[in-house]
């Protein structure tokens, strides 16, 4: 019974802290197929987490340099190789990332998304050190060409 009460208190604490979280979205779009969106989850000035999604349309000629295919048609194996390649390029310590690769008529659409849980204001994506705030992340993103949605 004590264990059940303990679990209930933990779940309630997590739920209440999650209810107090705001999300602010920033976008840096270069065109229809390329761009980045960062969602900053925060409670007032306290950072909780940052989520991001990057979309980049890579020309087929450029993508073919990273696979074994000799022409501009890509097999499932080629797409898996590209996904692995871009996934390896975009690994950051403390950031959980996922990479998807899709062939389109115009090229290879690479989508990289991820989440960084912020501890004590320190964020790799938000470019903040210990004690960093939402305001710090917002200023950094605006200097990088992001606009609040």
């Amino acid at each position: 019974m004590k264990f059940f009460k303990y679990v209930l208190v933990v779940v309630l604490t997590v739920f209440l802290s999650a209810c107090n979280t705001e999300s602010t979205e920033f976008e840096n779009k270069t065109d229809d197929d390329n761009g980045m969106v960062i969602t900053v989850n925060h409670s007032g000035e306290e950072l909780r987490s940052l989520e991001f999604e990057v979309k980049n349309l890579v020309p087929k000629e450029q993508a073919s340099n990273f696979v074994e295919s000799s022409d501009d048609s890509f097999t499932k194996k080629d797409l898996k190789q590209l996904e692995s390649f871009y996934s390896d390029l975009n690994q950051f310590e403390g950031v959980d990332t996922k990479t998807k690769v899709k062939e389109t008529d115009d090229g290879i659409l690479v989508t990289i998304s991820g989440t960084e849980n912020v501890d004590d204001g320190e964020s790799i994506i938000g470019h903040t050190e210990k004690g960093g705030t939402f305001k710090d992340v917002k200023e950094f993103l605006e200097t990088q060409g992001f606009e609040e949605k």
Side-chain angles (χ1 to χ4, degrees), residues 121-134:
E122 192 170 358
S123 169
I124 294 169
I125 298 169
H127 203 71
T128 58
E129 296 179 3
K130 196 172 190 172
T133 65
F134 169 69

Side-chain angles (χ1 to χ4, degrees), residues 62-74:
Q62 182 181 347
S64 66
N65 292 328
F66 303 111
V67 294
E68 297 171 6
S69 288
S70 58
D71 56 13
D72 283 346
S73 63
F74 291 87

Side-chain angles (χ1 to χ4, degrees), residues 83-102:
E83 191 170 291
S84 178
F85 172 76
Y86 285 108
S87 179
D88 290 346
L89 276 179
N90 293 287
Q91 293 300 314
F92 306 101
E93 188 175 329
V95 180
D96 180 31
T97 60
K98 293 177 181 61
T99 304
K100 293 181 182 176
V101 174
K102 180 181 175 184

